[in-house]
PDB file of all heavy atoms in Angstrom:
ATOM      1  N   PHE A   1       1.865  -3.863   5.594  1.00 94.00           N
ATOM      2  CA  PHE A   1       3.042  -4.343   4.856  1.00 94.00           C
ATOM      3  C   PHE A   1       4.362  -4.201   5.726  1.00 94.00           C
ATOM      4  O   PHE A   1       5.156  -5.075   5.861  1.00 94.00           O
ATOM      5  CB  PHE A   1       3.297  -3.445   3.651  1.00 94.00           C
ATOM      6  CG  PHE A   1       2.388  -3.917   2.437  1.00 94.00           C
ATOM      7  CD1 PHE A   1       1.922  -2.916   1.591  1.00 94.00           C
ATOM      8  CD2 PHE A   1       2.067  -5.218   2.177  1.00 94.00           C
ATOM      9  CE1 PHE A   1       1.116  -3.318   0.464  1.00 94.00           C
ATOM     10  CE2 PHE A   1       1.311  -5.644   1.180  1.00 94.00           C
ATOM     11  CZ  PHE A   1       0.814  -4.654   0.260  1.00 94.00           C
ATOM     12  N   SER A   2       4.475  -3.064   6.504  1.00 94.00           N
ATOM     13  CA  SER A   2       5.704  -2.813   7.269  1.00 94.00           C
ATOM     14  C   SER A   2       5.783  -3.774   8.370  1.00 94.00           C
ATOM     15  O   SER A   2       6.861  -4.057   8.904  1.00 94.00           O
ATOM     16  CB  SER A   2       5.711  -1.412   7.723  1.00 94.00           C
ATOM     17  OG  SER A   2       4.715  -1.114   8.719  1.00 94.00           O
ATOM     18  N   ARG A   3       4.612  -4.170   9.020  1.00 94.00           N
ATOM     19  CA  ARG A   3       4.641  -5.096  10.057  1.00 94.00           C
ATOM     20  C   ARG A   3       4.968  -6.568   9.664  1.00 94.00           C
ATOM     21  O   ARG A   3       5.556  -7.311  10.390  1.00 94.00           O
ATOM     22  CB  ARG A   3       3.246  -5.146  10.799  1.00 94.00           C
ATOM     23  CG  ARG A   3       2.947  -3.831  11.553  1.00 94.00           C
ATOM     24  CD  ARG A   3       1.538  -3.907  12.145  1.00 94.00           C
ATOM     25  NE  ARG A   3       1.228  -2.687  12.917  1.00 94.00           N
ATOM     26  CZ  ARG A   3       0.061  -2.396  13.350  1.00 94.00           C
ATOM     27  NH1 ARG A   3      -0.983  -3.192  13.102  1.00 94.00           N
ATOM     28  NH2 ARG A   3      -0.157  -1.315  14.012  1.00 94.00           N
ATOM     29  N   ARG A   4       4.551  -6.888   8.463  1.00 96.00           N
ATOM     30  CA  ARG A   4       4.718  -8.302   8.071  1.00 96.00           C
ATOM     31  C   ARG A   4       5.868  -8.555   7.112  1.00 96.00           C
ATOM     32  O   ARG A   4       6.283  -9.708   7.042  1.00 96.00           O
ATOM     33  CB  ARG A   4       3.474  -8.705   7.328  1.00 96.00           C
ATOM     34  CG  ARG A   4       2.150  -8.693   8.262  1.00 96.00           C
ATOM     35  CD  ARG A   4       0.968  -9.026   7.450  1.00 96.00           C
ATOM     36  NE  ARG A   4      -0.229  -9.215   8.274  1.00 96.00           N
ATOM     37  CZ  ARG A   4      -1.398  -9.614   7.919  1.00 96.00           C
ATOM     38  NH1 ARG A   4      -1.666  -9.643   6.655  1.00 96.00           N
ATOM     39  NH2 ARG A   4      -2.434  -9.712   8.805  1.00 96.00           N
ATOM     40  N   PHE A   5       6.372  -7.486   6.519  1.00 97.00           N
ATOM     41  CA  PHE A   5       7.448  -7.719   5.525  1.00 97.00           C
ATOM     42  C   PHE A   5       8.621  -6.839   5.763  1.00 97.00           C
ATOM     43  O   PHE A   5       8.536  -5.813   6.414  1.00 97.00           O
ATOM     44  CB  PHE A   5       6.895  -7.409   4.107  1.00 97.00           C
ATOM     45  CG  PHE A   5       5.819  -8.379   3.560  1.00 97.00           C
ATOM     46  CD1 PHE A   5       4.506  -8.206   3.891  1.00 97.00           C
ATOM     47  CD2 PHE A   5       6.171  -9.521   2.876  1.00 97.00           C
ATOM     48  CE1 PHE A   5       3.501  -8.947   3.505  1.00 97.00           C
ATOM     49  CE2 PHE A   5       5.177 -10.384   2.513  1.00 97.00           C
ATOM     50  CZ  PHE A   5       3.845 -10.088   2.749  1.00 97.00           C
ATOM     51  N   THR A   6       9.785  -7.296   5.257  1.00 96.00           N
ATOM     52  CA  THR A   6      11.008  -6.535   5.261  1.00 96.00           C
ATOM     53  C   THR A   6      11.536  -6.415   3.848  1.00 96.00           C
ATOM     54  O   THR A   6      10.858  -6.845   2.888  1.00 96.00           O
ATOM     55  CB  THR A   6      12.029  -7.123   6.203  1.00 96.00           C
ATOM     56  OG1 THR A   6      13.147  -6.278   6.312  1.00 96.00           O
ATOM     57  CG2 THR A   6      12.545  -8.456   5.578  1.00 96.00           C
ATOM     58  N   CYS A   7      12.678  -5.746   3.632  1.00 95.00           N
ATOM     59  CA  CYS A   7      13.183  -5.442   2.304  1.00 95.00           C
ATOM     60  C   CYS A   7      14.401  -6.377   2.043  1.00 95.00           C
ATOM     61  O   CYS A   7      15.362  -6.455   2.794  1.00 95.00           O
ATOM     62  CB  CYS A   7      13.552  -4.030   2.119  1.00 95.00           C
ATOM     63  SG  CYS A   7      12.094  -2.945   2.275  1.00 95.00           S
ATOM     64  N   GLN A   8      14.443  -6.887   0.769  1.00 93.00           N
ATOM     65  CA  GLN A   8      15.567  -7.558   0.321  1.00 93.00           C
ATOM     66  C   GLN A   8      16.090  -6.645  -0.840  1.00 93.00           C
ATOM     67  O   GLN A   8      15.532  -6.530  -1.912  1.00 93.00           O
ATOM     68  CB  GLN A   8      15.233  -8.963  -0.283  1.00 93.00           C
ATOM     69  CG  GLN A   8      16.356  -9.759  -0.791  1.00 93.00           C
ATOM     70  CD  GLN A   8      15.936 -11.060  -1.367  1.00 93.00           C
ATOM     71  OE1 GLN A   8      15.274 -11.116  -2.464  1.00 93.00           O
ATOM     72  NE2 GLN A   8      16.129 -12.187  -0.692  1.00 93.00           N
ATOM     73  N   CYS A   9      17.266  -6.013  -0.580  1.00 92.00           N
ATOM     74  CA  CYS A   9      17.711  -4.957  -1.485  1.00 92.00           C
ATOM     75  C   CYS A   9      18.248  -5.575  -2.806  1.00 92.00           C
ATOM     76  O   CYS A   9      18.829  -6.622  -2.893  1.00 92.00           O
ATOM     77  CB  CYS A   9      18.821  -4.094  -0.877  1.00 92.00           C
ATOM     78  SG  CYS A   9      18.304  -3.305   0.652  1.00 92.00           S
ATOM     79  N   TYR A  10      17.987  -4.751  -3.911  1.00 90.00           N
ATOM     80  CA  TYR A  10      18.561  -5.148  -5.237  1.00 90.00           C
ATOM     81  C   TYR A  10      20.084  -4.834  -5.124  1.00 90.00           C
ATOM     82  O   TYR A  10      20.505  -3.997  -4.320  1.00 90.00           O
ATOM     83  CB  TYR A  10      17.914  -4.382  -6.332  1.00 90.00           C
ATOM     84  CG  TYR A  10      16.410  -4.545  -6.509  1.00 90.00           C
ATOM     85  CD1 TYR A  10      15.506  -3.509  -6.691  1.00 90.00           C
ATOM     86  CD2 TYR A  10      15.905  -5.888  -6.419  1.00 90.00           C
ATOM     87  CE1 TYR A  10      14.240  -3.739  -6.805  1.00 90.00           C
ATOM     88  CE2 TYR A  10      14.520  -6.154  -6.547  1.00 90.00           C
ATOM     89  CZ  TYR A  10      13.646  -5.071  -6.722  1.00 90.00           C
ATOM     90  OH  TYR A  10      12.305  -5.296  -6.838  1.00 90.00           O
ATOM     91  N   THR A  11      20.799  -5.438  -5.996  1.00 87.00           N
ATOM     92  CA  THR A  11      22.262  -5.304  -6.053  1.00 87.00           C
ATOM     93  C   THR A  11      22.635  -3.842  -6.109  1.00 87.00           C
ATOM     94  O   THR A  11      22.200  -3.122  -7.045  1.00 87.00           O
ATOM     95  CB  THR A  11      22.898  -6.100  -7.167  1.00 87.00           C
ATOM     96  OG1 THR A  11      22.456  -7.458  -7.031  1.00 87.00           O
ATOM     97  CG2 THR A  11      24.391  -6.045  -7.088  1.00 87.00           C
ATOM     98  N   GLY A  12      23.520  -3.431  -5.173  1.00 87.00           N
ATOM     99  CA  GLY A  12      24.026  -2.062  -5.186  1.00 87.00           C
ATOM    100  C   GLY A  12      22.985  -0.968  -4.744  1.00 87.00           C
ATOM    101  O   GLY A  12      23.318   0.198  -4.854  1.00 87.00           O
ATOM    102  N   ARG A  13      21.967  -1.387  -4.277  1.00 90.00           N
ATOM    103  CA  ARG A  13      20.848  -0.388  -3.806  1.00 90.00           C
ATOM    104  C   ARG A  13      20.783  -0.415  -2.201  1.00 90.00           C
ATOM    105  O   ARG A  13      21.070  -1.355  -1.594  1.00 90.00           O
ATOM    106  CB  ARG A  13      19.529  -0.770  -4.394  1.00 90.00           C
ATOM    107  CG  ARG A  13      19.475  -0.805  -5.903  1.00 90.00           C
ATOM    108  CD  ARG A  13      19.439   0.530  -6.519  1.00 90.00           C
ATOM    109  NE  ARG A  13      19.246   0.441  -8.020  1.00 90.00           N
ATOM    110  CZ  ARG A  13      18.012   0.379  -8.545  1.00 90.00           C
ATOM    111  NH1 ARG A  13      16.911   0.386  -7.834  1.00 90.00           N
ATOM    112  NH2 ARG A  13      17.953   0.305  -9.875  1.00 90.00           N
ATOM    113  N   THR A  14      20.269   0.652  -1.714  1.00 89.00           N
ATOM    114  CA  THR A  14      19.895   0.751  -0.285  1.00 89.00           C
ATOM    115  C   THR A  14      18.421   0.795  -0.143  1.00 89.00           C
ATOM    116  O   THR A  14      17.764   1.591  -0.843  1.00 89.00           O
ATOM    117  CB  THR A  14      20.529   1.983   0.357  1.00 89.00           C
ATOM    118  OG1 THR A  14      21.988   1.971   0.165  1.00 89.00           O
ATOM    119  CG2 THR A  14      20.274   2.105   1.852  1.00 89.00           C
ATOM    120  N   CYS A  15      17.886  -0.010   0.867  1.00 90.00           N
ATOM    121  CA  CYS A  15      16.378  -0.021   0.855  1.00 90.00           C
ATOM    122  C   CYS A  15      15.916  -0.397   2.264  1.00 90.00           C
ATOM    123  O   CYS A  15      15.134  -1.294   2.460  1.00 90.00           O
ATOM    124  CB  CYS A  15      15.863  -1.175  -0.089  1.00 90.00           C
ATOM    125  SG  CYS A  15      16.435  -2.829   0.222  1.00 90.00           S
ATOM    126  N   ALA A  16      16.473   0.355   3.247  1.00 87.00           N
ATOM    127  CA  ALA A  16      16.098   0.118   4.608  1.00 87.00           C
ATOM    128  C   ALA A  16      14.572   0.258   4.806  1.00 87.00           C
ATOM    129  O   ALA A  16      13.921   1.257   4.308  1.00 87.00           O
ATOM    130  CB  ALA A  16      16.734   1.014   5.605  1.00 87.00           C
ATOM    131  N   PRO A  17      13.845  -0.734   5.377  1.00 89.00           N
ATOM    132  CA  PRO A  17      12.312  -0.585   5.525  1.00 89.00           C
ATOM    133  C   PRO A  17      11.964   0.765   6.250  1.00 89.00           C
ATOM    134  O   PRO A  17      12.610   1.061   7.267  1.00 89.00           O
ATOM    135  CB  PRO A  17      11.973  -1.817   6.330  1.00 89.00           C
ATOM    136  CG  PRO A  17      13.114  -2.768   6.086  1.00 89.00           C
ATOM    137  CD  PRO A  17      14.345  -1.985   5.899  1.00 89.00           C
ATOM    138  N   LYS A  18      10.916   1.371   5.766  1.00 84.00           N
ATOM    139  CA  LYS A  18      10.480   2.558   6.495  1.00 84.00           C
ATOM    140  C   LYS A  18       9.549   2.130   7.649  1.00 84.00           C
ATOM    141  O   LYS A  18       8.811   1.131   7.488  1.00 84.00           O
ATOM    142  CB  LYS A  18       9.663   3.468   5.508  1.00 84.00           C
ATOM    143  CG  LYS A  18      10.443   4.080   4.383  1.00 84.00           C
ATOM    144  CD  LYS A  18       9.560   4.988   3.507  1.00 84.00           C
ATOM    145  CE  LYS A  18      10.427   5.678   2.473  1.00 84.00           C
ATOM    146  NZ  LYS A  18       9.489   6.492   1.594  1.00 84.00           N
ATOM    147  N   LEU A  19       9.571   2.982   8.673  1.00 78.00           N
ATOM    148  CA  LEU A  19       8.666   2.750   9.791  1.00 78.00           C
ATOM    149  C   LEU A  19       7.242   3.322   9.404  1.00 78.00           C
ATOM    150  O   LEU A  19       7.103   4.149   8.493  1.00 78.00           O
ATOM    151  CB  LEU A  19       9.118   3.511  11.045  1.00 78.00           C
ATOM    152  CG  LEU A  19      10.593   2.940  11.520  1.00 78.00           C
ATOM    153  CD1 LEU A  19      11.035   3.867  12.686  1.00 78.00           C
ATOM    154  CD2 LEU A  19      10.433   1.481  11.929  1.00 78.00           C
ATOM    155  N   PRO A  20       6.175   2.861  10.122  1.00 75.00           N
ATOM    156  CA  PRO A  20       4.801   3.315   9.821  1.00 75.00           C
ATOM    157  C   PRO A  20       4.751   4.878   9.751  1.00 75.00           C
ATOM    158  O   PRO A  20       3.980   5.394   8.948  1.00 75.00           O
ATOM    159  CB  PRO A  20       4.077   2.752  10.951  1.00 75.00           C
ATOM    160  CG  PRO A  20       4.747   1.465  11.355  1.00 75.00           C
ATOM    161  CD  PRO A  20       6.236   1.834  11.165  1.00 75.00           C
ATOM    162  N   ILE A  21       5.373   5.585  10.663  1.00 77.00           N
ATOM    163  CA  ILE A  21       5.247   7.074  10.633  1.00 77.00           C
ATOM    164  C   ILE A  21       5.815   7.643   9.366  1.00 77.00           C
ATOM    165  O   ILE A  21       5.243   8.552   8.726  1.00 77.00           O
ATOM    166  CB  ILE A  21       6.056   7.696  11.883  1.00 77.00           C
ATOM    167  CG1 ILE A  21       5.689   9.228  11.851  1.00 77.00           C
ATOM    168  CG2 ILE A  21       7.501   7.427  11.793  1.00 77.00           C
ATOM    169  CD1 ILE A  21       6.154   9.863  13.098  1.00 77.00           C
ATOM    170  N   HIS A  22       6.815   7.014   8.817  1.00 78.00           N
ATOM    171  CA  HIS A  22       7.454   7.450   7.542  1.00 78.00           C
ATOM    172  C   HIS A  22       6.527   7.089   6.342  1.00 78.00           C
ATOM    173  O   HIS A  22       6.346   7.823   5.361  1.00 78.00           O
ATOM    174  CB  HIS A  22       8.816   6.825   7.323  1.00 78.00           C
ATOM    175  CG  HIS A  22       9.767   7.369   8.244  1.00 78.00           C
ATOM    176  ND1 HIS A  22      10.693   6.463   8.930  1.00 78.00           N
ATOM    177  CD2 HIS A  22       9.994   8.530   8.897  1.00 78.00           C
ATOM    178  CE1 HIS A  22      11.451   7.180   9.746  1.00 78.00           C
ATOM    179  NE2 HIS A  22      11.025   8.364   9.787  1.00 78.00           N
ATOM    180  N   LEU A  23       5.860   5.972   6.492  1.00 78.00           N
ATOM    181  CA  LEU A  23       4.856   5.584   5.407  1.00 78.00           C
ATOM    182  C   LEU A  23       3.755   6.516   5.424  1.00 78.00           C
ATOM    183  O   LEU A  23       3.229   6.939   4.350  1.00 78.00           O
ATOM    184  CB  LEU A  23       4.350   4.166   5.793  1.00 78.00           C
ATOM    185  CG  LEU A  23       5.236   2.995   5.588  1.00 78.00           C
ATOM    186  CD1 LEU A  23       4.619   1.699   6.013  1.00 78.00           C
ATOM    187  CD2 LEU A  23       5.623   2.831   4.044  1.00 78.00           C
ATOM    188  N   SER A  24       3.305   7.057   6.530  1.00 76.00           N
ATOM    189  CA  SER A  24       2.205   7.998   6.620  1.00 76.00           C
ATOM    190  C   SER A  24       2.652   9.310   5.895  1.00 76.00           C
ATOM    191  O   SER A  24       1.934   9.894   5.081  1.00 76.00           O
ATOM    192  CB  SER A  24       1.940   8.325   8.072  1.00 76.00           C
ATOM    193  OG  SER A  24       0.922   9.385   8.112  1.00 76.00           O
TER     194      SER A  24
END
């Protein structure tokens, strides 16, 4: 998921994509 997709944040939210190590 992290390699193929990024995040589109909802209004007023923060949603920086996590790196694989953080996913682990």
